[in-house]
Amino acid sequence: MIETAAADLAVLSQSAVPLEMTQAEVYQAVQDNTLLNASFWVNIALAGLSILLFVYMGRNVEDPRAQLIFVSTLMVPLVSISSYTGLASGLTISFLEMPAGHALAGEEVLTMWGRYLTWALSTPMILLALGLLAGSNLTKIFTAIVADIGMCVTGLAAALTVSSHGLRWFWYFISCMFFLVVLYVLLVEWPQDAEVAGTAEIFNLLKILTVVMWLGYPIFWALGAEGIAVLDVAVTSWAYSGLDIVAKYIFAFLLLNWVVSNESTVAQMADGFGAAGTSGGAAPADD
Ligand code: RET
């Protein structure tokens, strides 16, 4: 009698508790998928090289605004190397059972949630650097950054929600709304500021690069295993890794290279860092 109850309980607990994988098992799954693993290690290598190169490029920069652009841009590969190490070690990856209605309903799908988490740290750095380059004011920089963090965190929620298929896409929709705010600042507000600041040429190049690359992320999310699942996990991961290479390292190189060659322009830029945008001080730190 007691044995039967214990056996029943064991069966019940087995069916009620979702399949949990240990970190070592997730790591093994990553190791077994060479294509996926390579998409992580290529970025670890490129982030490492970028850090060394950018530190070297910035060694003689003295103007405070130029230094701030350097520090925020340097944070991008620093966050990236940490992010990809988290993925490669299996620390920030989970296998999640997709809800009814999803193309892979009932299957355990490899979810690289660490990407969305670390984007919440790296993308604000990109926007801070762009806002400073455009000579934008604090209000616009703050707006772009908080909307961007909102985009990343709700994107994370979309990836981690497994209770309802509809709610996954509702999170995705909320994330897209935040993204629209970021696009508005990038495409409408900052180009005008950059015109006044005398940095329009480089700003517009980086703006186009950023907008085109960033649009790729929600597209690949929707096409990948977390969305409608027409792309396999390793292909989606390579898509993100490829976008990252351009949106982070190439972007950062172009920006820092310009700042080094035009430090005096940056130093003389009318400062729009006051909330009203008219403070006209010397350096952002003055506020
Ligand atoms: C998600 C899914 C939900 C909808 C939207 C997304 C946008 C993501 C973007 C990411 C950019 C990442 C970068 C990382 C560099 O470190 C979260 C994919 C709109 C735009 C540039």
Side-chain angles (χ1 to χ4, degrees), residues 119 122-123 126 151 155 172 175-176 179 214 217-218 221 244 247-248:
W119 288 347
S122 59
T123 52
I126 295 175
M151 174 190 83
Y172 181 89
S175 181
C176 288
F179 189 29
W214 285 36
Y217 291 85
W221 195 102
D244 273 3
K248 297 203 269 203

